[in-house]
Amino acid sequence: MKDQNVTIGFEGFEGCTVSADKTSLSTDLYVITDGHGKYLAMPIFQTLSNETTIRNAEWATIERNMDPWTMPAFQWVVEQTQTAAILKETSPIKITNREYGVTIVSGYQLYVDKEGTEIAGVKLMKENFEVDTKNVKKDPYVGYKTFNKDSLLIAGYTFRYLSEASSEDLFLTIGGLESDSVLYANTNKVVFALDTIPSEYLGYGNGEINRETFNYGYTPTTGSGDKEKPLTGWSELERRFYSLKVKGAKEDTYVVLDDEGRYATSNFTDWKRWAEPKTPVRFYLKTNNIKDGNLYYALVDYTTNYTDINTYSTPKGGIDDNSLMLNSNPL
């Protein structure tokens, strides 16, 4: 038999690595919708009975005057798990919440003409992901109001209460009676200074308390170990808490939490002589609403726990609809 020249070729190998029914998303920041008006979010209020914070993604309806692009809990970092050029078009994706840095799925596969597996009970396609077109990922302060430290030395602030029930503009103010130091929502205005609080007023010298900002949430890096490097065009989130100090008062007068769970003002001139001195409340100003282009903030009380937010140890200031008092409520 005459020898035959046989050539074994691999021309078709490259095409076999790409599946025609699979697709992917580029690494970027997204909000994720269910296609019926709900957005995927990681709620602030989830806790276990043993007080250990858990984070599960849930579908949430965006209420009136809310925008998911102002709230990192509604924002998701999508990263391709395959970075080789030949595999990127069909790469599975890792999905991580921006505010809490929790990855809910490490290898989610998207398809061209069919849905993927369920996330929080909903099967997703590429069309469910809305990409960041306003470069929100570059803003380190989205989600929490943060002020320039020097501006706090001279500026004063009033706090307007967003209420759909009142036809009047209501502001945070101190009770009308001379002996009433409780905070209310009223048509009168009290001007507050936002103070970073001298550490001696807290009863201990804690260097961490005096840091200008705290980083939190997703860390925008790529690679690992010696190959880890920052993601170009991203900023790590930052926030800072503040105490409310009555501006113009003759003595240091801060907002504290009284024994009845109400926020009130207290004079700190004689704080060292107290057997159990009240601590000035430390608030984060967490973005909650947007109306007519103006952002409105929730007062999140970090007096007992300034490193994480969870239901057990983190209350918030809420206006009672009947008394209009500013009370301490669970998240």
Side-chain angles (χ1 to χ4, degrees):
M1 179 181 293
K2 185 177 180 181
D3 292 338
Q4 301 290 324
N5 293 322
V6 179
T7 301
I8 301 176
F10 292 91
E11 290 91 348
F13 179 76
E14 182 172 329
C16 292
T17 63
V18 179
S19 176
D21 67 333
K22 294 180 181 179
T23 188
S24 187
L25 290 166
S26 59
T27 296
D28 211 324
L29 187 66
Y30 295 81
V31 295
I32 306 173
T33 72
D34 68 348
H36 302 285
K38 291 187 176 182
Y39 289 80
L40 192 64
M42 196 155 277
I44 195 174
F45 51 78
Q46 295 178 344
T47 59
L48 291 172
S49 57
N50 65 358
E51 302 155 16
T52 301
T53 303
I54 61 170
R55 302 295 179 197
N56 290 325
E58 294 183 4
W59 295 100
T61 301
I62 293 291
E63 298 177 6
R64 185 180 178 184
N65 299 325
M66 296 180 74
D67 180 357
W69 288 111
T70 66
M71 299 179 287
F74 283 80
Q75 298 166 16
W76 299 90
V77 181
V78 169
E79 299 170 272
Q80 292 185 325
T81 62
Q82 300 290 342
T83 56
I86 194 174
L87 301 175
K88 291 181 71 172
E89 290 185 7
T90 60
S91 172
I93 54 176
K94 182 170 74 169
I95 304 175
T96 304
N97 186 262
R98 193 182 184 199
E99 176 148 356
Y100 297 106
V102 174
T103 298
I104 59 169
V105 60
S106 297
Y108 192 81
Q109 184 64 63
L110 290 166
Y111 297 91
V112 176
D113 295 317
K114 64 179 182 179
E115 299 170 328
T117 55
E118 289 187 355
I119 292 182
V122 177
K123 296 179 179 181
L124 302 179
M125 297 184 69
K126 199 171 182 177
E127 292 74 17
N128 296 101
F129 293 76
E130 298 178 7
V131 71
D132 174 19
T133 60
K134 297 181 179 179
N135 214 14
V136 174
K137 59 183 168 290
K138 198 171 183 179
D139 183 0
Y141 305 119
V142 64
Y144 292 82
K145 182 66 176 177
T146 304
F147 297 87
N148 177 279
K149 190 175 182 180
D150 292 337
S151 71
L152 299 179
L153 300 175
I154 56 174
Y157 302 89
T158 58
F159 289 81
R160 182 182 177 189
Y161 172 49
L162 179 62
S163 172
E164 301 294 340
S166 175
S167 59
E168 298 180 297
D169 288 341
L170 303 179
F171 296 85
L172 198 60
T173 190
I174 302 171
L177 300 176
E178 186 175 343
S179 60
D180 187 1
S181 63
V182 174
L183 296 181
Y184 294 84
N186 201 302
T187 53
N188 299 322
K189 297 180 183 179
V190 169
V191 179
F192 293 93
L194 296 180
D195 197 358
T196 53
I197 323 170
S199 59
E200 62 267 21
Y201 279 3
L202 302 174
Y204 51 87
N206 189 331
E208 285 289 295
I209 293 293
N210 294 318
R211 284 173 50 187
E212 189 161 351
T213 60
F214 295 83
N215 294 112
Y216 71 101
Y218 169 77
T219 302
T221 58
T222 183
S224 59
D226 295 339
K227 296 183 178 180
E228 185 176 272
K229 61 181 182 181
L231 270 175
T232 304
W234 292 69
S235 292
E236 188 170 4
L237 292 169
E238 300 177 34
R239 59 190 175 191
R240 181 62 165 106
F241 49 70
Y242 303 95
S243 281
L244 275 58
K245 180 180 179 181
V246 178
K247 194 170 181 64
K250 294 181 180 179
E251 300 168 328
D252 287 353
T253 303
Y254 285 90
V255 172
V256 300
L257 186 65
D258 72 11
D259 295 334
E260 297 180 44
R262 305 171 302 180
Y263 290 105
T265 57
S266 182
N267 184 306
F268 272 75
T269 301
D270 297 325
W271 71 274
K272 289 183 178 179
R273 293 187 296 180
W274 297 351
E276 296 182 5
K278 297 291 183 185
T279 301
V281 176
R282 303 192 294 271
F283 289 111
Y284 277 120
L285 276 65
K286 181 176 175 62
T287 306
N288 200 62
N289 301 93
I290 182 169
K291 184 178 181 181
D292 300 329
N294 297 312
L295 291 174
Y296 288 78
Y297 304 92
L299 295 174
V300 179
D301 184 343
Y302 262 36
T303 307
T304 58
N305 181 6
Y306 61 90
T307 57
D308 189 22
I309 293 179
N310 59 67
T311 305
Y312 174 71
S313 62
T314 312
K316 69 175 180 179
I319 297 292
D320 183 276
D321 289 336
N322 296 315
S323 68
L324 294 182
M325 286 183 185
L326 182 66
N327 295 325
S328 175
N329 300 314
L331 286 172

